[in-house]
């Protein structure tokens, strides 16, 4: 999106507010990808995950099954496990946390989240009406 087109969208409009959320989310994603084995930094990704989940489940594109599945998959991959590590390790019979970090499972969640953010930003740049 060129600077001239960017200036046409008011920051107070729905599209302008959505663009601000997407840009902030992309910056957060870029910063978080540089940390390895510091899982607690991934908690800042709750901001873009919440924004996308609200859009795909309750917002303007509610009912989009691909978006819904992708955002839920990204959340699961980034959240390690909903169960505590001790419980999940006991259930599967090995150290699930070590497996999660060693194999970089969270990277797949970062890719899925990044793909959704870039897709939404491209949709915004194409000039489609935004309903948040």
């Amino acid at each position: 999106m060129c600077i001239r087109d960017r200036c046409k969208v008011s920051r107070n409009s729905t599209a302008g507010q959505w663009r601000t959320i997407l840009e902030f989310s992309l910056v957060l994603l870029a910063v978080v990808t540089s940390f390895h084995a510091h899982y607690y930094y991934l908690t800042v990704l709750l901001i873009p995950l919440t924004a996308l989940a609200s859009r795909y489940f309750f917002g303007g594109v509610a009912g989009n099954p691909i978006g819904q599945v992708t955002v839920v998959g990204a959340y699961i991959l980034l959240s390690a496990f909903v169960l505590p590590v001790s419980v999940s390790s006991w259930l599967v019979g090995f150290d699930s946390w070590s497996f999660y970090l060693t194999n970089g499972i969270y990277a797949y969640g970062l890719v899925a989240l990044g793909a959704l953010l870039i897709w939404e930003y491209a949709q915004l740049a194409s000039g489609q009406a935004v309903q948040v």
Side-chain angles (χ1 to χ4, degrees), residues 48-49 52-53 56-57 66-76 113 116:
L49 283 168
L52 288 171
Y56 287 125
F57 286 100
I66 295 172
Q68 291 174 342
V69 168
T70 307
V71 79
V72 168
Y75 174 76
I76 290 170
L113 179 60
L116 282 176

Side-chain angles (χ1 to χ4, degrees), residues 9-22 124 132:
V9 177
S10 171
R11 283 275 183 209
N12 295 331
S13 68
T14 304
Q17 292 172 352
W18 183 236
R19 186 186 68 219
T20 302
I21 291 169
L22 290 173
L124 185 64
V132 180

Side-chain angles (χ1 to χ4, degrees), residues 68-128:
Q68 291 174 342
V69 168
T70 307
V71 79
V72 168
Y75 174 76
I76 290 170
L77 291 171
L78 289 170
S79 66
F81 302 99
V82 177
L83 298 172
V85 175
S86 59
V87 174
S88 62
S89 295
W90 176 74
L91 286 174
V92 295
F94 58 88
D95 185 11
S96 59
W97 181 250
S98 175
F99 178 80
Y100 180 78
L101 285 180
T102 303
N103 294 311
I105 303 296
Y106 62 91
Y108 299 109
L110 291 173
V111 169
L113 179 60
L116 282 176
L117 289 172
I118 291 170
W119 173 260
E120 287 294 327
Y121 200 71
Q123 294 297 319
L124 185 64
S126 70
Q128 293 182 358

